[in-house]
Amino acid sequence: MISLQTTQLRLREFEPRDLATVLKLHQHRLLAQFIPSAITPDEAAAKRHLQRFMSGHEDPRHGYWLIERRDRGGTTEPVGMILVKPIPPSGGAAPSETEIGWRVMERHGGNGYMSEAARAVITALFAAGLDEVVAVTHPDNVASQAVAKRAGMREIGLSTAYYDTQTLLFRASSSDVAR
């Protein structure tokens, strides 16, 4: 995994000290509404999430990044996370595509941090040789859809291709960026 910096943000690997952040991040009310399986009701569940976030991946471009807002004084504050992983196709076939996703701390939603981080990660993925990345959102999750669009992803439309459910599909390809 690569660490990244943007104008306002630092993206880094998760560390054991991030347990309280993982717990708080996974108690966001919109996460409960749109991805109920990601809710972390207690510290034990947060530890399981954190262990997964810190684990290695077959593809070095895959992983989980903690997003921190940097201030002029050099201090940082967690604002969310970005994930890049194989996306499970509906029907149980082996994953063949890469998904980007994001989760924001409730108090930091609407500040553009997720879009800025997603753009940086997509750019880094293309520079590392990935040709395409997809994102899926719940059809009613307008905030997440706005992040995908601001990150430069194209809206493809409703799809049942992933997670055995209907989602709104977004796609970005390196050929789009090269034009």
Side-chain angles (χ1 to χ4, degrees):
M1 284 186 39
I2 50 176
S3 294
L4 297 171
Q5 290 197 24
T6 70
T7 304
Q8 302 181 88
L9 307 171
R10 176 176 79 159
L11 286 73
R12 65 164 175 84
E13 293 182 29
F14 279 89
E15 301 172 356
R17 67 184 168 106
D18 297 321
L19 181 61
T21 298
V22 170
L23 180 61
K24 188 171 185 172
L25 179 65
H26 288 87
Q27 293 177 339
H28 189 303
R29 64 182 169 75
L30 290 179
L31 193 62
Q33 180 180 353
F34 296 121
I35 314 173
S37 63
I39 289 301
T40 304
D42 56 34
E43 189 172 304
K47 283 181 183 178
R48 288 191 297 276
H49 278 302
L50 183 58
Q51 286 298 89
R52 187 174 80 243
F53 298 160
M54 293 189 313
S55 67
H57 302 274
E58 286 183 35
D59 186 327
R61 299 170 295 197
H62 293 174
Y64 300 86
W65 288 265
L66 179 66
I67 304 166
E68 296 175 317
R69 183 183 67 181
R70 300 180 300 144
D71 71 13
R72 288 187 175 91
T75 61
T76 60
E77 177 184 7
V79 296
M81 69 175 284
I82 291 276
L83 60 93
V84 177
K85 65 181 188 61
I87 187 168
S90 293
S96 63
E97 294 188 277
T98 299
E99 172 186 22
I100 185 170
W102 39 82
R103 296 178 185 158
V104 65
M105 298 288 249
E106 190 158 7
R107 71 186 213 97
H108 292 292
N111 291 317
Y113 300 136
M114 295 303 100
S115 300
E116 183 176 329
R119 272 192 309 274
V121 170
I122 290 169
T123 299
L125 290 171
F126 293 159
L130 192 67
D131 292 324
E132 196 166 70
V133 63
V134 300
V136 295
T137 71
H138 186 283
D140 296 332
N141 191 342
V142 176
S144 192
Q145 293 160 21
V147 170
K149 291 173 185 174
R150 285 191 305 265
M153 302 187 84
R154 286 178 286 114
E155 182 178 329
I156 304 302
L158 292 174
S159 173
T160 57
Y162 308 103
Y163 293 108
D164 292 317
T165 191
Q166 185 175 41
T167 62
L168 189 58
L169 175 63
F170 294 84
R171 189 174 301 276
S173 67
S174 59
S175 61
D176 291 339
V177 174
R179 292 181 195 163

